[in-house]
Amino acid sequence: MKIAIIGAGAMGGAIAEGLIKSEHFNNEDVTVSDPCVETRKHFADLGITATPSNQLAAQGADVVCVVVKPWLVEQVLTGLRDVLDYEHQMLVVVAAGVKSESITAWMTKDTKMVPLFLVIPNIAIAQLQSMTFIVPCASASAQQTEQIKQMFDMLGTTLLTDEQHLGAGTTLASCGIAYAMRYIRAAAEGGVELGFRADDAKRIVMQTMRGAVELLQATGLHPEAAIDLVTTPGGVTIKGLNEMEHAGFTSAVIRGLKAGAK
């Protein structure tokens, strides 16, 4: 499968990094386009084709991923419309808040629409650990949907969803990775106050979070059931949890997620 990534900034670059690290894709089958000379050099040094031309990048690709800021999507897509092969190529748009209806209006050519997918990964895709949401649009077949899902399955975990839930998925996983990092920062700062060196505190917190995730995945336990395993009556864990709840921990998380989804 040949993949073109139009826009190799933070997210587009992370996707390219993931494709390079994955054993399922050959470097020669990945092309990025970006206006930044330094960005192109970085990816060329990693062994993939890098060009300033979006049109050249898209030609011959099986999947064309447009990964640019939302306000640039229309300009970039209309620049690609005449070079895309609507019979043999698939279009992936990674841009929060851009609707399929708008993309269809921009890209319909001679009453035909290129197979379209709205996709929201997170930056952990660079480490093959993304939580990626995929919305197949009306122009996409079941076979094409499976191809796109398989592609992103190799870069983490995927969920097929509908456009109505894409905003919620964005705040829960794409924005959510920043929320998780904010917890790591806060807990690490607390660790310093408890007497650990900053780097040691960060390492302790990251391993603790990794262990929590692995435990839940391995056992299938509800988080609250897993919490019950370590909360001795009258012990320090329940005291710490209750103090966090007094400060509005759960409420703050939910309010933050809902604010991000607006």
Side-chain angles (χ1 to χ4, degrees):
M1 178 182 287
K2 294 184 179 296
I3 302 166
I5 301 170
I6 310 299
M11 183 57 74
I15 295 171
E17 296 272 2
L19 292 171
I20 292 168
K21 289 175 183 174
S22 171
E23 298 178 353
H24 303 282
F25 303 95
N26 298 319
N27 286 7
E28 57 266 28
D29 291 333
V30 180
T31 301
V32 300
S33 66
D34 198 90
C36 177
V37 174
E38 291 79 8
T39 298
R40 295 199 303 272
K41 183 178 185 305
H42 168 73
F43 285 106
D45 289 345
L46 292 175
I48 66 176
T49 302
T51 173
S53 170
N54 296 342
Q55 289 78 11
L56 284 177
Q59 289 176 0
D62 298 300
V63 180
V64 178
C65 301
V66 172
V67 195
V68 297
K69 299 298 184 185
W71 56 88
L72 294 175
V73 172
E74 180 179 5
Q75 174 187 336
V76 170
L77 286 178
T78 54
L80 292 171
R81 183 173 55 208
D82 291 338
V83 302
L84 290 182
D85 183 340
Y86 282 32
E87 298 297 328
H88 300 101
Q89 292 181 301
M90 294 176 281
L91 176 64
V92 168
V93 175
V94 181
V98 179
K99 304 297 185 184
S100 63
E101 181 181 3
S102 298
I103 297 171
T104 299
W106 300 329
M107 296 301 289
T108 298
K109 182 171 61 176
D110 298 328
T111 72
K112 293 183 179 180
M113 178 59 192
V114 64
L116 170 66
F117 297 86
L118 303 182
V119 173
I120 297 292
N122 64 35
I123 58 172
I125 199 167
Q127 306 302 324
L128 312 182
Q129 292 296 328
S130 179
M131 179 64 241
T132 301
F133 297 89
I134 301 171
V135 177
C137 298
S139 51
S141 70
Q143 181 181 4
Q144 290 165 333
T145 299
E146 184 59 27
Q147 287 179 302
I148 295 298
K149 185 178 187 302
Q150 287 179 359
M151 170 183 160
F152 284 100
D153 277 341
M154 296 170 188
L155 304 173
T157 298
T158 64
L159 179 67
L160 291 174
T161 188
D162 54 42
E163 194 166 354
Q164 181 182 352
H165 289 89
L166 197 57
T170 300
T171 193
L172 194 58
S174 187
C175 302
I177 199 167
Y179 305 154
M181 290 177 182
R182 180 57 60 88
Y183 170 78
I184 292 172
R185 189 191 79 172
E189 288 178 353
V192 172
E193 191 166 337
L194 292 170
F196 290 102
R197 295 181 183 276
D199 285 346
D200 287 339
K202 184 180 75 170
R203 184 161 59 91
I204 291 165
V205 174
M206 289 193 300
Q207 180 57 41
T208 302
M209 288 194 69
R210 183 180 292 114
V213 171
E214 294 285 348
L215 179 64
L216 292 177
Q217 288 181 331
T219 64
L221 285 170
H222 187 282
E224 203 61 36
I227 287 171
D228 287 343
L229 297 176
V230 294
T231 48
T232 304
V236 295
T237 302
I238 192 62
K239 289 177 181 177
L241 286 169
N242 284 343
E243 190 63 29
M244 291 180 188
E245 289 302 330
H246 291 325
F249 180 81
T250 298
S251 178
V253 171
I254 294 171
R255 289 177 64 185
L257 290 168
K258 291 173 70 175
K262 289 181 180 177

